[in-house]
Amino acid sequence: MALTVSKTPTGSEYKVKDISQAVFGRLEIELAEVEMPGLMSCRSEFGPSQPFQGARITGSLHMTVQTAVLIETLTALGAQVRWCSCNIFSTQDHAAAAIARDSAAIFAWKGESLEEYWWCTEKALDWGPGVKAEEEYEKSGKLPDVNGCENGEYRIVLRIIKDGLLMDPTRYRRIKERLVGVSEETTTGVKRLYQMQANGSLLFPAINVNDSVTKKKFDNLYGCRHSLPDGLKRATDVIIAGKIAVVCGYGDVGKGCAAALKRAGARVIVTEIDPICALQALMDGNPVLTLENVVSEADIFLTTTGNKNIIMVHHMKQMKNNAIVCNIGHFDNEIDMHGLQTYPGVKRITVKPQTDRWVFPETNNGIIVLAEGRLINLGCATGHPSFVMSFSFTNQVIAQLELWKERGTGKYEKKVYVLSKHLDEKVAALHLGKLGAKLTKLTPAQAAYISVPVEGPYKPPQYRY
Amino acid sequence: MALTVSKTPTGSEYKVKDISQAVFGRLEIELAEVEMPGLMSCRSEFGPSQPFQGARITGSLHMTVQTAVLIETLTALGAQVRWCSCNIFSTQDHAAAAIARDSAAIFAWKGESLEEYWWCTEKALDWGPGVKAEEEYEKSGKLPDVNGCENGEYRIVLRIIKDGLLMDPTRYRRIKERLVGVSEETTTGVKRLYQMQANGSLLFPAINVNDSVTKKKFDNLYGCRHSLPDGLKRATDVIIAGKIAVVCGYGDVGKGCAAALKRAGARVIVTEIDPICALQALMDGNPVLTLENVVSEADIFLTTTGNKNIIMVHHMKQMKNNAIVCNIGHFDNEIDMHGLQTYPGVKRITVKPQTDRWVFPETNNGIIVLAEGRLINLGCATGHPSFVMSFSFTNQVIAQLELWKERGTGKYEKKVYVLSKHLDEKVAALHLGKLGAKLTKLTPAQAAYISVPVEGPYKPPQYRY
Amino acid sequence: MALTVSKTPTGSEYKVKDISQAVFGRLEIELAEVEMPGLMSCRSEFGPSQPFQGARITGSLHMTVQTAVLIETLTALGAQVRWCSCNIFSTQDHAAAAIARDSAAIFAWKGESLEEYWWCTEKALDWGPGVKAEEEYEKSGKLPDVNGCENGEYRIVLRIIKDGLLMDPTRYRRIKERLVGVSEETTTGVKRLYQMQANGSLLFPAINVNDSVTKKKFDNLYGCRHSLPDGLKRATDVIIAGKIAVVCGYGDVGKGCAAALKRAGARVIVTEIDPICALQALMDGNPVLTLENVVSEADIFLTTTGNKNIIMVHHMKQMKNNAIVCNIGHFDNEIDMHGLQTYPGVKRITVKPQTDRWVFPETNNGIIVLAEGRLINLGCATGHPSFVMSFSFTNQVIAQLELWKERGTGKYEKKVYVLSKHLDEKVAALHLGKLGAKLTKLTPAQAAYISVPVEGPYKPPQYRY
Amino acid sequence: MALTVSKTPTGSEYKVKDISQAVFGRLEIELAEVEMPGLMSCRSEFGPSQPFQGARITGSLHMTVQTAVLIETLTALGAQVRWCSCNIFSTQDHAAAAIARDSAAIFAWKGESLEEYWWCTEKALDWGPGVKAEEEYEKSGKLPDVNGCENGEYRIVLRIIKDGLLMDPTRYRRIKERLVGVSEETTTGVKRLYQMQANGSLLFPAINVNDSVTKKKFDNLYGCRHSLPDGLKRATDVIIAGKIAVVCGYGDVGKGCAAALKRAGARVIVTEIDPICALQALMDGNPVLTLENVVSEADIFLTTTGNKNIIMVHHMKQMKNNAIVCNIGHFDNEIDMHGLQTYPGVKRITVKPQTDRWVFPETNNGIIVLAEGRLINLGCATGHPSFVMSFSFTNQVIAQLELWKERGTGKYEKKVYVLSKHLDEKVAALHLGKLGAKLTKLTPAQAAYISVPVEGPYKPPQYRY
């Protein structure tokens, strides 16, 4: 795919798979709006005052139908938006087309190469490493050492930075000056932000949306409970009932996935490093064992850890013929894709996009790897459903509003923040009506008895839900 | 699509969407074989003796990947096979292509018109009404009164018969003479066979495969438990958790669907006419109400009844905006599609194939109808998974073997039969190894104590499982 | 306990633990009446016409609160009733006291010895073997050979018959002449009746209530799902979550128990002889293994088979310390109690009645045997709850009404019958209102379409629910 | 019951129901030890060094079999212990007897009056209000105004303090001086401690054991999931399947109870004040409504709130006949017992201890109130099972060890503390082996990648599990 930017009649930039899919995308966006009451309510509450007037927002997030509703909520509140996906397989091309045609600059398609991915990111998003590179270049004239870098993907990043440096050596620093803040909604992303805060490399205030209860305990749990079996079924059509499924990790994502698999009739085995999560798995009826204990018996293997090197090629070799291997955790390094790809004599048979059978020469047994080790629910299905994403994205909108409103006030330092419990409860409240729920109201006497305001927040910060 | 028959290099007839998809189809067929131990074991047990030598088998059954494994089991046992689908949306085109290229005459594609459907059927299958028409024609010279028939679909059938009559006025009777028997696996089809037996119009022996325990209590229950949510998710991407779902009918299919919806987090409401099934629904935790009680509150409506006129257009008018309406029972007449299509001022917006939003003029509310009221799991997903279909199809193979072996022996009259419990237990036994199961063996003393043979069958005929 | 019969002021005979518990018994009977709409509706429908006028009904059935409501339904319809329990541990003494005081002759208490049990039975019930013994005695003067019999329990039966013979050598034959019929509700009892029918020893018509759908698919399944965990918790207070439970047998009882254990958080392993039931267990998410495979790992062992010699003492020796062993199937011979009791050096520690720890000398490990191997739900808890028993007992009342009404008409021969589907559906219908259910009515067109009467019955005989 | 203290042969004080039940109590304590690996492991790890040498520990906690294992763990570590129950119905008399005979001073029996309860507490525990009363008495000579207090229960407390004051006017202050700290494990108790900390009335360091993950997310959730249905079944024998159950509150306790009821086949309706918990209930498949919406339809009502005045007498009047009303939250004021007791013309029928039917005069309908509105699982059953209590109590032992070890070091101020995550993880780890679990070990590279030590703790403080 030639990497050239197109423009709409109104001058908005984009690069998508097929702009003509905008019609289909619009239809699905309209369906999703009905399922996303939190975002729609942000539009009606904040839209009239245009709080994002003047704000330029760049997003790097799976370019799905739900994300389209988020983007159009941001634009409805006055923002200018540029967008790319954060995963090479997660874009829904019709959603991207509709956004490109109607609402924002967008650079995303399903099945990007890594090179294309970072090109899109560069088009949409200006990222941190550039500042350091520019400073080094100004000081010493040294360009990033692209070839000295072992990690193939990072080499691509460096080359793009290097190319940019030669064209405009102060660009990132100008961007940095203008940067008001960032909101981040993944466990993995937030962990990186806290690391940057700890080592002083955080260049801007950041709001950790992931740790809003209405994000982490809903998106991660209920979202995956929905979208994991969706991905498995679309990719393989294999029955889950009766199968043995190994879930590596029993955090919120693992809990949601294990529940989905068990309810579908699988026998679930959990691997864990954390004794507390392990005990939860046990009390939920799942044995806790090591991967080594079960590698040759199980039918489905799933990583949910946020860590690397969980399922190695030496594990894969021992699996049953047509065992399914997939990841719903963070990056594709949860599965040893490199080890698999470079295994001597291994044969890859692509059944369909994102469904590959890898055959080992010794046994002639194959394993079925989904989404090339990347997120199965986004690579093989359409990600979380709208209603759950409405929780997460309403948190995003509120976080962005807060960052923009408080720019220049000094309220937020170069640290990582979470949203207040009151806002968290508000996000939840915006979604109750859609499901016909009616809340009970505390009487003043009851509120006093448990020492909370009648209107909330109702729980202490350490409350775990 | 022009209705012309193609031929393979070896002269086998076919009409499919795209013969080049045979490569992809073959890959998925190979995956399915690993999941269908019953069929594969028929191949190894019976293949060497070629019991179907000389047999011509015509099938009318959803032309999926799993059906492909069935067809190739029949051909592996020596049969010549011709096939069409029994549903205009249920064909998987790549599976059809692989069969066309490699194994059998096939006439099926996803999205046939009714005209095309009956053309395909005529190509593959010779059906009963023709005999009566021929006899009438011979006696009185009268051709079928195509235009005097109100039912649009039946008009098409009559026209095709009429056209055939003029070309070859004894064809169906010649077919009838040669017909050895039929095996049928759907509740609806079996009901028709019993009606024909009762009124004396059954022209051949029939084996009711549907009432094999390993079919009805597995395919209907566990199959739908898998494939209903699959269809819902692929068609709508809507979250099921938190939603109110109405399941019309609590037979095996309804039980499987209700379980799937509930486990996905929906609140399930059941409608039933049968007090026993209603009581089962209640004990399983589902309220039993009438459609009228809940029509304006629910989010998802599903028919599973095998009856007609379950959800009428006057119900649909009262539903919430974007309520989902679908059918996994028998024909599309479970939902009043005719009433919907002819409702004054109604607007149909096709979001994508098999997903239509119908907007009522009075309220501007839309409902989302899946698969045009036909089977959602086959129209919007890929039907039941291989492992479950292996149960059903192993019953089919055994039934066909029995009919063919006993042709001319008089063992089977023009009646409807079920397979013996011993064969039913055998079908189950063939599938245990794949799931690592180990059966316990009765001691002779134990067998005597409960008055069964050590090797089974283990249950009396009235046993309900 | 001295075996003497007491009389109430009105002359009704009884032997119960403590007649003063009648007050408490009456309170619980009144609570149960609210939960047993089927029986109460029999009282209001049939009570006015007193259909049991002149009928003498003898019952041998767990003497619980629910049975009390059954007995008082029979008396409300005009019958005279005598009763004993069919299990030495299953009587609820307060219920027995209330019946003794108010309604019927009763001979039952919790914790009968086998001697006492058969004395009670003799007092309440006249049983078959007597006829044969009388005939033999008349012919040859031979009395039953009590000591020549190996089975300890049967020796007791023979002795009681022998004693009776000497007192009144034609008693059983006089009873037999008067006997109108029998209704039986257990799987095990029904199996015996069919054996008697097969070998010609059935002396009277029998109605198999067990195979009413509203009995077998409800009492066995939903009743056990409720009462198994109840018994386990009352007897041991042990958490079920996280434990490994082995369920021997996956019939209706096993299905209910496995579901209860799994929902409580146990990992359930099933043992089966029948491949179909085994496949059901697998599709429900349970591994199927042999007892040998898992005997040293599991925490809870449960027999549900209706067969003998399921868990032998050599299994028990291999179990973990404090493994729980119990039976909810038929007799205590599902567990090798004899082998355990006679194991050299074994030590029995009674923790509380019906909870014994048996310690093996080799390992000093103990296992915990509940209810001495008899039915755990009746021995350690109070059996099935009222609502479920109302289904079973309404079948009993209807069966008894039928037998009594048709006495002398020749409608019923000396065979085993099941109730008609119409009556089965009626039993279900009587219980819907209590749970707020509303049935849908078929239109005549719909009824015709599926070939059933508008008012039912709705299913063919082979339907499995 | 005369309030006199008995002494064992060794001089240990006690007042229990029946000291002869010590034999039975000891048997059940020995069974429980096998289920409480955390406590047993404290004995083996810390016993040899006798860390509690010199410590006097007073406990006020449900005097169950599990608590007996806790007490004997404390004494095994060198402590002297005095104990009372914290609930008038929760004592298991045989456990109390065994402790009295063998291990500690104890004052507790099932069914204490409030007067007796506070007498027991005074015997075992020295509580806070005394200090204020003594200071006031010393300053002004004023005794507590017993009759001026409206709350009946608090009047009893004041009278006991007053009586004590006259005997020994400096007793509480001497106790206070010696008091090293307190550990508290209930949500309600912890809330009071934080209130005392906030208003400066906390007289000692306190460790909040409730907010250990291994307490709150296990005891509250999994414990109630086990013990709620246990209490319901023992008290009423009523089937749960098919019933409508209202759960007031969806915190950890409510979540556990709702899961238990739903799995037993009930339809669960949740009431909530907190929108986040409400949204969780919805996503778990439960409608969220107000009590008013459902009061006349539901069959079972349960409070889990930790708040007061949840179910008022005006609600109870509207309920169906024999609706069940019970509480598993905190005090009996969740249910308006006072309103019920004083309702004009209401009639109380005690079916059995802790099961009362209250009949309203207007309708003659009764409701069934369990445990007089106090904790159903402790009043009507035996509380949480041993394994779950082992988590909670291991936290207690560790907290007490910490307080005692650090007495006088100034590490703990007069504040409320939680245990470190490392100790929390240790508690979990101690319980894995019993369930056969095997943890996975992080490699150093993996630990670095997610920035945690190889040996844990593995999660940030805000992690919610």
Side-chain angles (χ1 to χ4, degrees), chain C residues 393-411:
Chain C
F393 287 170
T394 304
N395 276 293
Q396 286 277 19
V397 171
I398 288 174
Q400 290 280 324
L401 281 172
E402 187 69 9
L403 287 169
W404 182 246
K405 195 181 90 186
E406 301 294 342
R407 73 186 183 281
T409 68
K411 175 170 176 188

Side-chain angles (χ1 to χ4, degrees), chain D residues 198-348:
Chain D
N199 66 28
S201 65
L202 190 65
L203 300 174
F204 37 71
I207 294 186
N208 164 3
V209 168
N210 183 61
D211 282 306
S212 292
V213 185
T214 47
K215 196 280 170 182
K216 193 170 171 52
K217 296 287 278 189
F218 287 83
D219 179 322
N220 299 22
L221 182 70
Y222 300 112
C224 292
R225 199 179 70 184
H226 176 104
S227 63
L228 170 73
D230 192 14
L232 274 176
K233 289 177 182 178
R234 293 199 207 205
T236 71
D237 292 317
V238 160
I239 197 168
I240 296 169
K243 292 285 164 51
I244 300 177
V246 178
V247 175
C248 300
Y250 204 69
D252 290 311
V253 169
K255 285 178 174 76
C257 293
L261 290 165
K262 196 163 184 179
R263 292 172 184 196
R267 300 173 243 163
V268 174
I269 296 165
V270 167
T271 75
E272 248 301 342
I273 58 157
D274 180 328
I276 297 178
C277 296
L279 196 53
Q280 289 182 305
L282 290 161
M283 299 309 282
D284 292 343
N286 308 298
V288 175
L289 295 168
T290 66
L291 192 51
E292 284 68 24
N293 297 140
V294 296
V295 71
S296 59
E297 284 171 46
D299 301 286
I300 300 170
F301 295 85
L302 175 70
T303 56
T304 76
T305 68
N307 207 330
K308 66 179 180 182
N309 297 343
I310 305 305
I311 300 180
M312 304 306 290
V313 72
H314 70 82
H315 294 125
M316 297 188 242
K317 269 179 63 180
Q318 302 173 64
M319 291 175 182
K320 292 190 343 192
N321 185 32
N322 284 9
I324 296 169
V325 177
C326 53
N327 167 36
I328 197 169
H330 74 318
F331 301 132
D332 54 348
N333 61 358
E334 303 215 5
I335 297 171
D336 180 16
M337 291 308 295
H338 179 76
L340 182 61
Q341 285 150 2
T342 58
Y343 188 86
V346 79
K347 206 164 61 185
R348 172 181 177 173

Side-chain angles (χ1 to χ4, degrees), chain A residues 38-229:
Chain A
L39 290 181
M40 298 314 279
S41 142
C42 285
R43 292 191 196 179
S44 56
E45 178 175 352
F46 302 115
S49 64
Q50 292 287 295
F52 279 136
Q53 202 58 50
R56 284 178 276 181
I57 298 177
T58 298
S60 167
L61 211 157
H62 312 290
M63 185 51 237
T64 63
V65 168
Q66 291 73 36
T67 300
V69 184
L70 168 61
I71 291 170
E72 296 191 335
T73 302
L74 297 173
T75 58
L77 272 51
Q80 280 181 281
V81 175
R82 294 177 78 81
W83 212 266
C84 63
S85 186
C86 63
N87 181 301
I88 60 175
F89 293 134
S90 67
T91 296
Q92 292 177 270
D93 289 317
H94 61 315
I99 291 299
R101 187 191 66 183
D102 302 337
S103 309
I106 178 158
F107 308 89
W109 56 94
K110 188 173 183 84
E112 299 160 359
S113 67
L114 287 176
E115 189 87 35
E116 291 166 344
Y117 173 82
W118 286 107
W119 178 86
C120 288
T121 302
E122 206 272 345
K123 282 286 160 243
L125 176 76
D126 306 306
W127 68 100
V131 174
K132 223 164 90 192
E134 283 175 9
E135 288 170 351
E136 179 65 34
Y137 181 63
E138 189 172 69
K139 211 166 61 189
S140 67
K142 281 215 291 198
L143 287 166
D145 177 12
V146 174
N147 295 322
C149 172
E150 269 190 33
N151 179 316
E153 186 163 354
Y154 197 58
R155 261 207 308 275
I156 296 170
V157 179
L158 286 183
R159 188 169 57 236
I160 291 175
I161 293 177
K162 179 178 155 195
D163 292 350
L165 253 181
L166 295 171
M167 310 257 294
D168 178 353
T170 63
R171 176 174 175 221
Y172 291 112
R173 280 171 292 179
R174 293 198 316 273
I175 289 167
K176 171 191 154 192
E177 291 316 307
R178 239 175 45 216
L179 195 63
V180 163
V182 129
S183 58
E184 167 61 37
E185 70 169 51
T186 70
T187 305
T188 295
V190 159
K191 191 180 282 279
R192 301 294 175 274
L193 289 173
Y194 281 111
Q195 288 170 344
M196 292 164 84
Q197 171 179 300
N199 66 28
S201 65
L202 191 64
L203 300 175
F204 38 71
I207 295 185
N208 163 3
V209 167
N210 182 61
D211 282 305
S212 292
V213 185
T214 47
K215 196 280 170 180
K216 194 170 170 52
K217 297 286 277 191
F218 288 82
D219 179 323
N220 300 21
L221 182 70
Y222 300 113
C224 293
R225 199 179 69 184
H226 176 103
S227 62
L228 169 72

Side-chain angles (χ1 to χ4, degrees), chain A residues 245-259:
Chain A
V246 177
V247 177
C248 301
Y250 205 67
D252 289 311
V253 170
K255 285 176 174 78
C257 292

